[in-house]
Amino acid sequence: MTRRTEWPDSTGRPERPDRPDSGAPSLSRAEQGPPPGPEEQARAICLRLLTGTPRTRKQLADALRTRGIPEDAAQEVLSRFEDVGLIDDAAFAGAWVESRHHSRGLARRALARELRTKGVDSALIEDAVGQLDSDQEERTARELVERKLRATRGLDRDKRIRRLAGMLARKGYSEGLALRVVRRALEEEGEDPELLEHHLPDL
């Protein structure tokens, strides 16, 4: 006689005794394991924040604080991340200076200000902005003015000077450098140097 492994239920469909009960209770908290401790939470938060973008130690510390991670657990995890190179404020500052100078044309003063807001140490900031010498800054300032010069044509001389010099000032260039670069650009465009004497200091 053939052994039957399935028995029809009242609807005529085979019944499978080994089918899991969809209404079975879920695993209890004890069976799932204990909740993560503060260091484990801090580690997960830092790894998530570091995915795809570097961050400074202060940025991560601030993020952990706002998420309620105890200070001692946060500092322990941050120090461990520094030890293995996942946090490197010096490398962050160097990459920031290179990227922001070439993409936005920011000068050393503006770059240092941005790095300070991100909690980078003053000595590391000084080393990072030291990548840019005064010659490089002036070359970048000239390029910025040359790109902006055409858009100011048709304006009176004073307004052009204010607009061009103001653009450089917002990017962190000193007044002396800004005016010198603007004056040179206007002279190369054909402005009378004697007329510029009345609008720009002798630099």
Side-chain angles (χ1 to χ4, degrees):
M1 181 175 65
T2 304
R3 182 180 179 184
R4 294 177 63 86
T5 58
E6 297 179 353
W7 297 91
D9 60 14
S10 59
T11 64
R13 291 191 300 270
E15 180 179 345
R16 298 182 181 274
D18 59 345
R19 183 175 58 190
D21 185 358
S22 60
S26 60
L27 292 175
S28 67
R29 182 175 297 275
E31 291 171 316
Q32 292 174 348
E39 287 191 13
E40 188 176 344
Q41 293 179 51
R43 189 180 306 110
I45 292 169
C46 288
L47 287 173
R48 185 168 64 250
L49 291 174
L50 287 168
T51 301
T53 178
R55 296 177 191 266
T56 66
R57 177 168 178 144
K58 181 179 185 301
Q59 286 177 306
L60 293 171
D62 290 344
L64 295 177
R65 191 176 301 111
T66 60
R67 287 163 173 78
I69 302 298
E71 185 68 18
D72 57 344
Q75 294 305 318
E76 174 67 24
V77 170
L78 293 172
S79 295
R80 198 175 307 148
F81 272 43
E82 279 188 328
D83 290 342
V84 298
L86 291 174
I87 301 175
D88 188 337
D89 282 3
F92 177 95
W96 186 269
V97 166
E98 182 176 359
S99 172
R100 298 284 283 175
H101 179 73
H102 290 294
S103 66
R104 299 287 304 279
L106 298 185
R108 286 174 292 186
R109 185 166 56 182
L111 292 165
R113 184 169 57 245
E114 289 186 340
L115 289 172
R116 279 195 296 271
T117 66
K118 297 182 180 301
V120 179
D121 181 77
S122 297
L124 297 180
I125 293 175
E126 186 175 348
D127 288 343
V129 298
Q131 298 176 28
L132 301 175
D133 57 29
S134 56
D135 290 340
Q136 176 61 52
E137 268 197 335
E138 183 159 350
R139 284 194 298 271
T140 302
R142 291 182 61 189
E143 291 171 1
L144 290 169
V145 169
E146 288 170 4
R147 289 202 296 265
K148 186 78 170 177
L149 201 60
R150 181 177 299 178
T152 65
R153 287 173 185 160
L155 300 176
D156 65 67
R157 188 176 293 108
D158 283 337
K159 187 171 290 186
R160 293 187 81 190
I161 291 170
R162 286 197 304 271
R163 186 163 296 184
L164 293 169
M167 177 268 295
L168 291 179
R170 288 190 296 273
K171 291 181 179 293
Y173 293 90
S174 67
E175 181 183 21
L177 174 60
L179 293 176
R180 182 169 69 251
V181 169
V182 169
R183 177 176 182 164
R184 179 173 178 175
L186 293 176
E187 287 180 354
E188 290 178 349
E189 192 185 50
E191 286 275 8
D192 187 337
E194 292 186 4
L195 291 176
L196 289 175
E197 291 287 345
H198 300 290
H199 301 271
L200 287 167
D202 187 15
L203 298 171

